[in-house]
Amino acid sequence: SDSHFPVPVSPSQFEYSLHYPHFYPSEETNETDVGISSAAKTQPKIQFADVGCGFGGLLVSLSTLFPDTLMIGMEIRDKVSEYVKERILALRVANPGQYQNISVVRTNSMKYIPNYFEKAQLLKMFFLFPDPHFKEKNHRRRVISMHLLDEYAYTLQVGGTIYTITDVEELGIWMKSCLEEHPLFEAVPREELEVDPVVKLLTSATEEGQKVARNGGQTYQAVYRRIAAPLVE
Ligand code: SAM
């Protein structure tokens, strides 16, 4: 249950130095910075979140594409999140200086997004091949819903992007219609999707995407942008 994993009480309590030691060197080890208070140093924040990251394939691909951007995978299954953690540590050892910008937390993203990210902190959120929850009474357990989109809109900067993809047609239609109806999101135009290097990774980088591609399955994607709230007179 949730009581088995720690959740930061607020985003400021998230332990950046544990997850990204290369970006948050400790005072003792960083001799060149002696005399500069830690508050004066740049303190990068997480900007990409892969929600329900599974085995972490997307993070690994994004890491080298955006080496200066901090990213986090959120995964509810203990063993899977442990696997991702080990995978990242092994990559860091094998490739010195690389893969320092990615990490993972075991958490329930449907409950704790606001504990991890401040208002307008994120640039990109990913929901790749989420669990479908077919039954009507289980739709409230879907990771995209009108209520959860309010939270994601809060967390994303204006101009930030939400990427969704699934091989389940019904879920694809559901995710797209939620995003379409939500007043704080608009579809990213096709021309922009074609030149966005991240879009190609939706099917090629994740373990689930690769499985679907191997089986020749169809996918349904919806990529939407966070827009400013309409002005009310
Ligand atoms: N995105 C990955 C991919 O494309 O390969 C994994 C897809 S897998 C079908 C869905 C993942 O979401 C599972 O690993 C599952 O444990 C995770 N998940 C489901 N509900 C979650 C929640 N509330 N919070 C965090 N992760 C969740």
Side-chain angles (χ1 to χ4, degrees):
S1 82
D2 290 358
S3 57
H4 295 288
F5 53 83
V7 173
V9 287
S10 74
S12 64
Q13 302 300 307
F14 183 76
E15 294 187 283
Y16 274 88
S17 56
L18 288 185
H19 286 272
Y20 310 100
H22 188 84
F23 287 84
Y24 285 79
S26 63
E27 303 289 322
E28 308 89 71
T29 55
N30 196 0
E31 287 158 26
T32 53
D33 281 350
V34 169
I36 304 173
S37 78
S38 48
K41 288 183 222 155
T42 35
Q43 305 269 277
K45 292 272 151 47
I46 294 167
Q47 291 192 298
F48 293 1
D50 184 4
V51 181
C53 68
F55 297 99
L58 179 78
L59 289 169
V60 170
S61 293
L62 286 174
S63 175
T64 46
L65 203 55
F66 300 91
D68 300 322
T69 302
L70 298 192
M71 318 176 188
I72 195 90
M74 310 181 99
E75 173 52 54
I76 201 165
R77 285 184 289 166
D78 190 23
K79 286 206 172 117
V80 177
S81 68
E82 279 302 312
Y83 168 87
V84 177
K85 194 169 143 189
E86 294 302 324
R87 183 179 183 182
I88 294 169
L89 291 177
L91 282 166
R92 287 180 181 178
V93 170
N95 305 274
Q98 286 188 283
Y99 302 103
Q100 299 292 335
N101 59 333
I102 55 175
S103 192
V104 66
V105 283
R106 181 188 177 203
T107 200
N108 183 345
S109 69
M110 294 178 75
K111 283 173 117 171
Y112 298 119
I113 290 268
N115 293 66
Y116 288 88
F117 314 115
E118 285 156 17
K119 183 177 185 207
Q121 181 177 328
L122 295 181
L123 267 174
K124 295 185 191 297
M125 294 184 88
F126 298 91
F127 299 85
L128 310 190
F129 302 96
D131 299 325
H133 299 297
F134 286 107
K135 290 191 190 134
E136 179 85 38
K137 72 171 168 48
N138 286 334
H139 286 179
R140 62 192 169 78
R141 287 161 65 182
R142 287 179 166 170
V143 288
I144 299 284
S145 65
M146 292 310 273
H147 150 69
L148 285 168
L149 281 179
D150 291 342
E151 267 184 23
Y152 305 154
Y154 173 85
T155 314
L156 280 166
Q157 318 185 355
V158 168
T161 315
I162 187 162
Y163 296 82
T164 72
I165 190 167
T166 177
D167 58 329
V168 178
E169 184 176 16
E170 184 202 325
L171 180 65
I173 293 169
W174 164 277
M175 293 197 292
K176 200 179 171 74
S177 65
C178 289
L179 283 158
E180 195 56 51
E181 272 173 51
H182 199 285
L184 296 180
F185 290 97
E186 74 179 13
V188 175
R190 183 181 293 268
E191 316 82 74
E192 288 180 43
L193 295 179
E194 280 165 8
V195 295
D196 181 351
V198 171
V199 169
K200 290 166 194 69
L201 298 180
L202 305 182
T203 42
S204 66
T206 78
E207 284 67 20
E208 201 60 34
Q210 289 166 3
K211 198 157 90 189
V212 174
R214 270 200 304 277
N215 299 332
Q218 203 179 334
T219 55
Y220 308 86
Q221 68 177 41
V223 181
Y224 276 68
R225 179 179 294 137
R226 166 74 157 92
I227 54 172
L231 290 175
V232 195
E233 302 266 313

PDB file of all heavy atoms in Angstrom, residues 69-95:
ATOM      1  N   THR A  69      18.387  18.540 -19.049  1.00  0.00           N
ATOM      2  CA  THR A  69      17.038  18.593 -18.468  1.00  0.00           C
ATOM      3  C   THR A  69      16.879  17.472 -17.442  1.00  0.00           C
ATOM      4  O   THR A  69      17.170  16.315 -17.749  1.00  0.00           O
ATOM      5  CB  THR A  69      15.984  18.411 -19.580  1.00  0.00           C
ATOM      6  OG1 THR A  69      16.181  19.436 -20.559  1.00  0.00           O
ATOM      7  CG2 THR A  69      14.581  18.491 -19.030  1.00  0.00           C
ATOM      8  N   LEU A  70      16.428  17.807 -16.255  1.00  0.00           N
ATOM      9  CA  LEU A  70      16.177  16.764 -15.249  1.00  0.00           C
ATOM     10  C   LEU A  70      14.820  16.114 -15.521  1.00  0.00           C
ATOM     11  O   LEU A  70      13.837  16.798 -15.815  1.00  0.00           O
ATOM     12  CB  LEU A  70      16.179  17.355 -13.839  1.00  0.00           C
ATOM     13  CG  LEU A  70      17.466  18.007 -13.361  1.00  0.00           C
ATOM     14  CD1 LEU A  70      17.389  18.273 -11.857  1.00  0.00           C
ATOM     15  CD2 LEU A  70      18.688  17.170 -13.681  1.00  0.00           C
ATOM     16  N   MET A  71      14.812  14.781 -15.428  1.00  0.00           N
ATOM     17  CA  MET A  71      13.595  14.011 -15.730  1.00  0.00           C
ATOM     18  C   MET A  71      13.373  12.966 -14.647  1.00  0.00           C
ATOM     19  O   MET A  71      14.337  12.442 -14.090  1.00  0.00           O
ATOM     20  CB  MET A  71      13.739  13.255 -17.044  1.00  0.00           C
ATOM     21  CG  MET A  71      14.396  14.059 -18.130  1.00  0.00           C
ATOM     22  SD  MET A  71      14.635  13.051 -19.601  1.00  0.00           S
ATOM     23  CE  MET A  71      15.618  14.215 -20.543  1.00  0.00           C
ATOM     24  N   ILE A  72      12.091  12.645 -14.424  1.00  0.00           N
ATOM     25  CA  ILE A  72      11.762  11.620 -13.432  1.00  0.00           C
ATOM     26  C   ILE A  72      10.754  10.635 -14.014  1.00  0.00           C
ATOM     27  O   ILE A  72       9.843  11.043 -14.737  1.00  0.00           O
ATOM     28  CB  ILE A  72      11.198  12.286 -12.141  1.00  0.00           C
ATOM     29  CG1 ILE A  72      11.195  11.304 -10.976  1.00  0.00           C
ATOM     30  CG2 ILE A  72       9.801  12.843 -12.326  1.00  0.00           C
ATOM     31  CD1 ILE A  72      12.452  11.303 -10.175  1.00  0.00           C
ATOM     32  N   GLY A  73      10.936   9.365 -13.710  1.00  0.00           N
ATOM     33  CA  GLY A  73       9.927   8.363 -14.008  1.00  0.00           C
ATOM     34  C   GLY A  73       9.128   8.106 -12.748  1.00  0.00           C
ATOM     35  O   GLY A  73       9.699   8.066 -11.654  1.00  0.00           O
ATOM     36  N   MET A  74       7.809   7.967 -12.877  1.00  0.00           N
ATOM     37  CA  MET A  74       6.967   7.656 -11.718  1.00  0.00           C
ATOM     38  C   MET A  74       6.352   6.289 -11.971  1.00  0.00           C
ATOM     39  O   MET A  74       5.721   6.076 -13.007  1.00  0.00           O
ATOM     40  CB  MET A  74       5.886   8.724 -11.560  1.00  0.00           C
ATOM     41  CG  MET A  74       6.471  10.119 -11.587  1.00  0.00           C
ATOM     42  SD  MET A  74       5.250  11.412 -11.365  1.00  0.00           S
ATOM     43  CE  MET A  74       5.495  11.760  -9.626  1.00  0.00           C
ATOM     44  N   GLU A  75       6.547   5.382 -11.024  1.00  0.00           N
ATOM     45  CA  GLU A  75       6.109   4.000 -11.238  1.00  0.00           C
ATOM     46  C   GLU A  75       5.601   3.429  -9.918  1.00  0.00           C
ATOM     47  O   GLU A  75       6.281   3.522  -8.905  1.00  0.00           O
ATOM     48  CB  GLU A  75       7.289   3.183 -11.803  1.00  0.00           C
ATOM     49  CG  GLU A  75       7.056   1.711 -11.934  1.00  0.00           C
ATOM     50  CD  GLU A  75       5.786   1.332 -12.701  1.00  0.00           C
ATOM     51  OE1 GLU A  75       5.590   1.784 -13.841  1.00  0.00           O
ATOM     52  OE2 GLU A  75       4.970   0.568 -12.139  1.00  0.00           O
ATOM     53  N   ILE A  76       4.425   2.823  -9.974  1.00  0.00           N
ATOM     54  CA  ILE A  76       3.797   2.348  -8.735  1.00  0.00           C
ATOM     55  C   ILE A  76       4.304   0.977  -8.307  1.00  0.00           C
ATOM     56  O   ILE A  76       4.282   0.645  -7.118  1.00  0.00           O
ATOM     57  CB  ILE A  76       2.259   2.369  -8.886  1.00  0.00           C
ATOM     58  CG1 ILE A  76       1.568   2.390  -7.518  1.00  0.00           C
ATOM     59  CG2 ILE A  76       1.764   1.204  -9.737  1.00  0.00           C
ATOM     60  CD1 ILE A  76       0.105   2.780  -7.569  1.00  0.00           C
ATOM     61  N   ARG A  77       4.776   0.155  -9.257  1.00  0.00           N
ATOM     62  CA  ARG A  77       5.207  -1.199  -8.886  1.00  0.00           C
ATOM     63  C   ARG A  77       6.629  -1.159  -8.313  1.00  0.00           C
ATOM     64  O   ARG A  77       7.558  -0.696  -8.978  1.00  0.00           O
ATOM     65  CB  ARG A  77       5.150  -2.130 -10.110  1.00  0.00           C
ATOM     66  CG  ARG A  77       3.728  -2.542 -10.477  1.00  0.00           C
ATOM     67  CD  ARG A  77       3.729  -3.528 -11.618  1.00  0.00           C
ATOM     68  NE  ARG A  77       4.105  -2.893 -12.881  1.00  0.00           N
ATOM     69  CZ  ARG A  77       4.438  -3.578 -13.981  1.00  0.00           C
ATOM     70  NH1 ARG A  77       4.451  -4.897 -13.968  1.00  0.00           N
ATOM     71  NH2 ARG A  77       4.748  -2.935 -15.091  1.00  0.00           N
ATOM     72  N   ASP A  78       6.751  -1.664  -7.119  1.00  0.00           N
ATOM     73  CA  ASP A  78       8.012  -1.615  -6.391  1.00  0.00           C
ATOM     74  C   ASP A  78       9.163  -2.235  -7.190  1.00  0.00           C
ATOM     75  O   ASP A  78      10.205  -1.612  -7.384  1.00  0.00           O
ATOM     76  CB  ASP A  78       7.828  -2.353  -5.053  1.00  0.00           C
ATOM     77  CG  ASP A  78       9.003  -2.144  -4.124  1.00  0.00           C
ATOM     78  OD1 ASP A  78       9.712  -1.139  -4.292  1.00  0.00           O
ATOM     79  OD2 ASP A  78       9.209  -2.994  -3.247  1.00  0.00           O
ATOM     80  N   LYS A  79       8.955  -3.467  -7.634  1.00  0.00           N
ATOM     81  CA  LYS A  79      10.052  -4.182  -8.322  1.00  0.00           C
ATOM     82  C   LYS A  79      10.439  -3.486  -9.622  1.00  0.00           C
ATOM     83  O   LYS A  79      11.611  -3.454  -9.987  1.00  0.00           O
ATOM     84  CB  LYS A  79       9.631  -5.624  -8.623  1.00  0.00           C
ATOM     85  CG  LYS A  79       9.621  -6.480  -7.384  1.00  0.00           C
ATOM     86  CD  LYS A  79       9.837  -7.945  -7.734  1.00  0.00           C
ATOM     87  CE  LYS A  79      10.020  -8.762  -6.471  1.00  0.00           C
ATOM     88  NZ  LYS A  79       8.986  -9.768  -6.256  1.00  0.00           N
ATOM     89  N   VAL A  80       9.443  -2.947 -10.310  1.00  0.00           N
ATOM     90  CA  VAL A  80       9.714  -2.265 -11.585  1.00  0.00           C
ATOM     91  C   VAL A  80      10.496  -0.971 -11.323  1.00  0.00           C
ATOM     92  O   VAL A  80      11.473  -0.676 -12.010  1.00  0.00           O
ATOM     93  CB  VAL A  80       8.397  -2.018 -12.360  1.00  0.00           C
ATOM     94  CG1 VAL A  80       8.652  -1.255 -13.644  1.00  0.00           C
ATOM     95  CG2 VAL A  80       7.706  -3.345 -12.665  1.00  0.00           C
ATOM     96  N   SER A  81      10.094  -0.232 -10.296  1.00  0.00           N
ATOM     97  CA  SER A  81      10.822   1.018 -10.005  1.00  0.00           C
ATOM     98  C   SER A  81      12.251   0.698  -9.551  1.00  0.00           C
ATOM     99  O   SER A  81      13.195   1.414  -9.894  1.00  0.00           O
ATOM    100  CB  SER A  81      10.081   1.867  -8.968  1.00  0.00           C
ATOM    101  OG  SER A  81      10.095   1.238  -7.718  1.00  0.00           O
ATOM    102  N   GLU A  82      12.425  -0.391  -8.801  1.00  0.00           N
ATOM    103  CA  GLU A  82      13.778  -0.803  -8.389  1.00  0.00           C
ATOM    104  C   GLU A  82      14.639  -1.162  -9.608  1.00  0.00           C
ATOM    105  O   GLU A  82      15.819  -0.838  -9.688  1.00  0.00           O
ATOM    106  CB  GLU A  82      13.711  -2.021  -7.448  1.00  0.00           C
ATOM    107  CG  GLU A  82      13.403  -1.658  -6.013  1.00  0.00           C
ATOM    108  CD  GLU A  82      14.416  -0.679  -5.411  1.00  0.00           C
ATOM    109  OE1 GLU A  82      15.629  -0.916  -5.553  1.00  0.00           O
ATOM    110  OE2 GLU A  82      13.989   0.331  -4.827  1.00  0.00           O
ATOM    111  N   TYR A  83      14.001  -1.862 -10.560  1.00  0.00           N
ATOM    112  CA  TYR A  83      14.710  -2.227 -11.791  1.00  0.00           C
ATOM    113  C   TYR A  83      15.201  -0.969 -12.521  1.00  0.00           C
ATOM    114  O   TYR A  83      16.348  -0.891 -12.968  1.00  0.00           O
ATOM    115  CB  TYR A  83      13.794  -3.061 -12.704  1.00  0.00           C
ATOM    116  CG  TYR A  83      14.342  -3.224 -14.100  1.00  0.00           C
ATOM    117  CD1 TYR A  83      15.221  -4.272 -14.409  1.00  0.00           C
ATOM    118  CD2 TYR A  83      14.026  -2.310 -15.109  1.00  0.00           C
ATOM    119  CE1 TYR A  83      15.753  -4.391 -15.691  1.00  0.00           C
ATOM    120  CE2 TYR A  83      14.547  -2.429 -16.380  1.00  0.00           C
ATOM    121  CZ  TYR A  83      15.407  -3.465 -16.671  1.00  0.00           C
ATOM    122  OH  TYR A  83      15.937  -3.577 -17.928  1.00  0.00           O
ATOM    123  N   VAL A  84      14.314   0.020 -12.632  1.00  0.00           N
ATOM    124  CA  VAL A  84      14.674   1.263 -13.348  1.00  0.00           C
ATOM    125  C   VAL A  84      15.826   1.969 -12.622  1.00  0.00           C
ATOM    126  O   VAL A  84      16.774   2.459 -13.256  1.00  0.00           O
ATOM    127  CB  VAL A  84      13.451   2.203 -13.497  1.00  0.00           C
ATOM    128  CG1 VAL A  84      13.839   3.512 -14.175  1.00  0.00           C
ATOM    129  CG2 VAL A  84      12.342   1.509 -14.287  1.00  0.00           C
ATOM    130  N   LYS A  85      15.748   1.979 -11.305  1.00  0.00           N
ATOM    131  CA  LYS A  85      16.807   2.604 -10.504  1.00  0.00           C
ATOM    132  C   LYS A  85      18.158   1.938 -10.792  1.00  0.00           C
ATOM    133  O   LYS A  85      19.160   2.611 -11.061  1.00  0.00           O
ATOM    134  CB  LYS A  85      16.440   2.451  -9.022  1.00  0.00           C
ATOM    135  CG  LYS A  85      17.226   3.291  -8.083  1.00  0.00           C
ATOM    136  CD  LYS A  85      16.566   3.233  -6.724  1.00  0.00           C
ATOM    137  CE  LYS A  85      17.604   3.218  -5.637  1.00  0.00           C
ATOM    138  NZ  LYS A  85      17.010   2.946  -4.312  1.00  0.00           N
ATOM    139  N   GLU A  86      18.172   0.610 -10.764  1.00  0.00           N
ATOM    140  CA  GLU A  86      19.407  -0.135 -11.031  1.00  0.00           C
ATOM    141  C   GLU A  86      19.885   0.089 -12.470  1.00  0.00           C
ATOM    142  O   GLU A  86      21.079   0.210 -12.726  1.00  0.00           O
ATOM    143  CB  GLU A  86      19.207  -1.644 -10.803  1.00  0.00           C
ATOM    144  CG  GLU A  86      18.926  -2.020  -9.359  1.00  0.00           C
ATOM    145  CD  GLU A  86      20.025  -1.569  -8.410  1.00  0.00           C
ATOM    146  OE1 GLU A  86      21.209  -1.610  -8.796  1.00  0.00           O
ATOM    147  OE2 GLU A  86      19.697  -1.149  -7.282  1.00  0.00           O
ATOM    148  N   ARG A  87      18.927   0.126 -13.385  1.00  0.00           N
ATOM    149  CA  ARG A  87      19.275   0.340 -14.790  1.00  0.00           C
ATOM    150  C   ARG A  87      19.998   1.679 -14.967  1.00  0.00           C
ATOM    151  O   ARG A  87      21.018   1.766 -15.656  1.00  0.00           O
ATOM    152  CB  ARG A  87      17.975   0.312 -15.621  1.00  0.00           C
ATOM    153  CG  ARG A  87      18.179   0.451 -17.114  1.00  0.00           C
ATOM    154  CD  ARG A  87      16.854   0.385 -17.870  1.00  0.00           C
ATOM    155  NE  ARG A  87      17.080   0.458 -19.309  1.00  0.00           N
ATOM    156  CZ  ARG A  87      16.114   0.456 -20.220  1.00  0.00           C
ATOM    157  NH1 ARG A  87      14.844   0.370 -19.848  1.00  0.00           N
ATOM    158  NH2 ARG A  87      16.409   0.535 -21.502  1.00  0.00           N
ATOM    159  N   ILE A  88      19.462   2.717 -14.322  1.00  0.00           N
ATOM    160  CA  ILE A  88      20.062   4.051 -14.450  1.00  0.00           C
ATOM    161  C   ILE A  88      21.451   4.080 -13.794  1.00  0.00           C
ATOM    162  O   ILE A  88      22.414   4.613 -14.362  1.00  0.00           O
ATOM    163  CB  ILE A  88      19.134   5.134 -13.848  1.00  0.00           C
ATOM    164  CG1 ILE A  88      17.841   5.230 -14.681  1.00  0.00           C
ATOM    165  CG2 ILE A  88      19.840   6.489 -13.772  1.00  0.00           C
ATOM    166  CD1 ILE A  88      16.736   6.065 -14.049  1.00  0.00           C
ATOM    167  N   LEU A  89      21.565   3.474 -12.602  1.00  0.00           N
ATOM    168  CA  LEU A  89      22.874   3.468 -11.928  1.00  0.00           C
ATOM    169  C   LEU A  89      23.916   2.747 -12.777  1.00  0.00           C
ATOM    170  O   LEU A  89      25.053   3.202 -12.897  1.00  0.00           O
ATOM    171  CB  LEU A  89      22.757   2.817 -10.541  1.00  0.00           C
ATOM    172  CG  LEU A  89      21.961   3.635  -9.512  1.00  0.00           C
ATOM    173  CD1 LEU A  89      21.835   2.867  -8.192  1.00  0.00           C
ATOM    174  CD2 LEU A  89      22.589   5.010  -9.270  1.00  0.00           C
ATOM    175  N   ALA A  90      23.515   1.636 -13.404  1.00  0.00           N
ATOM    176  CA  ALA A  90      24.448   0.884 -14.248  1.00  0.00           C
ATOM    177  C   ALA A  90      24.871   1.715 -15.467  1.00  0.00           C
ATOM    178  O   ALA A  90      26.045   1.720 -15.856  1.00  0.00           O
ATOM    179  CB  ALA A  90      23.805  -0.425 -14.687  1.00  0.00           C
ATOM    180  N   LEU A  91      23.917   2.436 -16.055  1.00  0.00           N
ATOM    181  CA  LEU A  91      24.238   3.298 -17.203  1.00  0.00           C
ATOM    182  C   LEU A  91      25.214   4.399 -16.803  1.00  0.00           C
ATOM    183  O   LEU A  91      26.113   4.762 -17.557  1.00  0.00           O
ATOM    184  CB  LEU A  91      22.958   3.921 -17.777  1.00  0.00           C
ATOM    185  CG  LEU A  91      22.102   3.012 -18.657  1.00  0.00           C
ATOM    186  CD1 LEU A  91      20.720   3.620 -18.876  1.00  0.00           C
ATOM    187  CD2 LEU A  91      22.796   2.755 -20.005  1.00  0.00           C
ATOM    188  N   ARG A  92      25.029   4.937 -15.589  1.00  0.00           N
ATOM    189  CA  ARG A  92      25.924   5.999 -15.115  1.00  0.00           C
ATOM    190  C   ARG A  92      27.343   5.472 -14.947  1.00  0.00           C
ATOM    191  O   ARG A  92      28.309   6.165 -15.262  1.00  0.00           O
ATOM    192  CB  ARG A  92      25.410   6.565 -13.778  1.00  0.00           C
ATOM    193  CG  ARG A  92      24.172   7.419 -13.938  1.00  0.00           C
ATOM    194  CD  ARG A  92      23.722   7.941 -12.585  1.00  0.00           C
ATOM    195  NE  ARG A  92      22.507   8.747 -12.714  1.00  0.00           N
ATOM    196  CZ  ARG A  92      21.861   9.291 -11.695  1.00  0.00           C
ATOM    197  NH1 ARG A  92      22.299   9.110 -10.455  1.00  0.00           N
ATOM    198  NH2 ARG A  92      20.769  10.015 -11.898  1.00  0.00           N
ATOM    199  N   VAL A  93      27.455   4.254 -14.450  1.00  0.00           N
ATOM    200  CA  VAL A  93      28.781   3.662 -14.241  1.00  0.00           C
ATOM    201  C   VAL A  93      29.448   3.366 -15.589  1.00  0.00           C
ATOM    202  O   VAL A  93      30.624   3.668 -15.799  1.00  0.00           O
ATOM    203  CB  VAL A  93      28.672   2.370 -13.387  1.00  0.00           C
ATOM    204  CG1 VAL A  93      30.006   1.620 -13.366  1.00  0.00           C
ATOM    205  CG2 VAL A  93      28.220   2.707 -11.977  1.00  0.00           C
ATOM    206  N   ALA A  94      28.675   2.827 -16.520  1.00  0.00           N
ATOM    207  CA  ALA A  94      29.242   2.427 -17.815  1.00  0.00           C
ATOM    208  C   ALA A  94      29.548   3.620 -18.719  1.00  0.00           C
ATOM    209  O   ALA A  94      30.377   3.518 -19.628  1.00  0.00           O
ATOM    210  CB  ALA A  94      28.280   1.476 -18.527  1.00  0.00           C
ATOM    211  N   ASN A  95      28.863   4.747 -18.482  1.00  0.00           N
ATOM    212  CA  ASN A  95      29.029   5.931 -19.332  1.00  0.00           C
ATOM    213  C   ASN A  95      29.301   7.156 -18.460  1.00  0.00           C
ATOM    214  O   ASN A  95      28.385   7.950 -18.205  1.00  0.00           O
ATOM    215  CB  ASN A  95      27.754   6.180 -20.160  1.00  0.00           C
ATOM    216  CG  ASN A  95      27.336   4.977 -20.975  1.00  0.00           C
ATOM    217  OD1 ASN A  95      27.802   4.770 -22.077  1.00  0.00           O
ATOM    218  ND2 ASN A  95      26.456   4.161 -20.399  1.00  0.00           N
TER     219      ASN A  95
END
